[in-house]
Structures are given as C-alpha cells and as structure tokens.
Amino acid sequence: MSRMILILIVMLLSGCQQLRQSQHSCITLAADVNQCLAPLPWQHSAPPADELTQLVTLKRYDKQQQLTMSLALTPQNMTIIGLAPLGQALFTLQFDGHTLSSEQSMLLGEQFRADYLVAMLQLVYWPQAALQQAISGAELSEQQCGKALCRQLRRDDKLIASVEYQQSDKWHSQAVLTLPQADVRLTINPL
C-alpha cells in the first residue's frame, strides 16, 4: 500500500514538470542582433568555480521577481537550479556547451525560456572573446568604469546591453545586466 502511495506521489510531482531540450539555440537581443549560446569556455581547463549560490532579481517594466540560483560547474557541464523565495524548485538547466536541457515547473508557464536565461548568464560571465564569437550584429567591449568593471554590447552608437560589476572577479561579484530596449534589469548577488 505505501509503495502505491509513493508511486502516485512521484507521478503527480513529475506531472508538474516539463522537460525540454534544444541545440544551437540563438536569441534575439535587438533588431539584427543575435546571440547564440556559446560553448563552455572552460571545457579544457578548470571552471572558474565549483559551486555558486546567487540571489537573482529580475525587473521588467514595473514587475520584479526574485529567485535563488545554484550553479554547479564542471569542465563538461553547467547545471543551474532555480528556487522560488519559499524554496520551491522552479527549474533545473543542464548545458554542456552544445545542448541545453531544461526541466521546469509548470508554475513558470510557457513564457520561461531556458535559452534566454543561459544567454543572459553568458553575457555576464563568459570571456569577451568567446562571447563575441557567439554574437552577430553588435560589438562587445569591456573597460574600467565607475564600478570595478563594465561591459557593453553596442550596435553602432546604440546600447544593446550593459553589465556593471562591483569587483573584477566577475563570478564572485555583484553584477547588474541591463537590456534597455527590453526594459530588463537583472541583478545577481553572490550569497
């Protein structure tokens, strides 16, 4: 009897998840500006960290959402787990540099796109040269600024995206990614 209950619970919980896979995913950042998911830059070396936990705040228009993200990095894989403020699992993403697999809660709805989240993380963390190869239609630059470091993606004189870091070690710094045309502001705070 208890085994039947356990099977029923597992079936109900798995019914609340969707599994998706995509390969060579590209997103549109602006008109004529695209970013394809870039390979893992540490596939032949040690990753920049083994595990990171971050508080992520996404603000779009006047709406704001927060979640806790846990990143696990190996030479072959990046795993991202997103938790709601009350601890409910929202998504688990696996990216091996070529294929992106996402398992996501139905609570996220159809609007959540794992490829956008990974692309945003790549805009924040990937080395400039590796990321530039994945971007078409705009130029990526990095320079010292009023903060420790700033990164900008521009098409001609138009700002497509900017990232401001509090410290030069990007993986352990607060980072603020802004996409002005989409009115998106993503703030990442290490925990």
Side-chain angles (χ1 to χ4, degrees):
M1 180 71 147
S2 62
R3 186 176 194 156
M4 290 298 287
I5 292 173
L6 181 62
I7 291 172
L8 181 60
I9 289 172
V10 169
M11 288 174 57
L12 287 173
L13 289 175
S14 65
C16 297
Q17 300 285 321
Q18 288 180 312
L19 180 62
R20 297 180 181 177
Q21 277 194 321
S22 62
Q23 221 171 1
H24 306 295
S25 186
C26 297
I27 66 164
T28 300
L29 295 173
D32 299 323
V33 179
N34 296 305
Q35 177 187 345
C36 296
L37 295 185
L40 299 175
W42 57 81
Q43 284 185 321
H44 303 292
S45 62
D50 293 332
E51 292 185 15
L52 299 166
T53 303
Q54 304 167 321
L55 179 63
V56 178
T57 305
L58 173 66
K59 185 175 180 188
R60 183 155 195 231
Y61 304 117
D62 291 331
K63 296 180 182 177
Q64 182 171 303
Q65 298 174 332
Q66 266 191 342
L67 63 97
T68 301
M69 268 190 346
S70 176
L71 281 76
L73 308 174
T74 69
Q76 302 81 23
N77 200 1
M78 176 172 71
T79 301
I80 307 166
I81 298 172
L83 301 172
L86 296 176
Q88 305 99 318
L90 295 174
F91 58 83
T92 300
L93 309 178
Q94 300 268 337
F95 182 60
D96 66 5
H98 304 287
T99 303
L100 174 63
S101 299
S102 70
E103 189 173 328
Q104 58 196 56
S105 168
M106 296 294 226
L107 296 172
L108 291 174
E110 291 295 318
Q111 293 184 359
F112 177 77
R113 294 217 12 218
D115 54 345
Y116 271 84
L117 178 60
V118 173
M120 298 302 104
L121 292 175
Q122 288 187 351
L123 276 172
V124 173
Y125 295 119
W126 261 230
Q128 181 181 348
L131 186 57
Q132 183 63 64
Q133 291 179 1
I135 294 173
S136 62
E139 293 297 317
L140 186 66
S141 66
E142 232 174 66
Q143 63 274 340
Q144 299 297 318
C145 61
K147 306 293 181 186
L149 186 65
C150 291
R151 178 178 269 192
Q152 292 185 340
L153 182 65
R154 291 185 168 276
R155 178 182 177 89
D156 301 320
D157 288 334
K158 192 172 203 173
L159 181 65
I160 306 300
S162 68
V163 185
E164 293 182 354
Y165 305 91
Q166 294 293 321
Q167 302 172 30
S168 57
D169 177 359
K170 296 175 191 160
W171 287 91
H172 295 95
S173 172
Q174 178 195 56
V176 179
L177 168 66
T178 306
L179 300 166
Q181 293 177 0
D183 197 17
V184 169
R185 182 181 175 100
L186 183 73
T187 304
I188 302 172
N189 286 298
L191 297 176

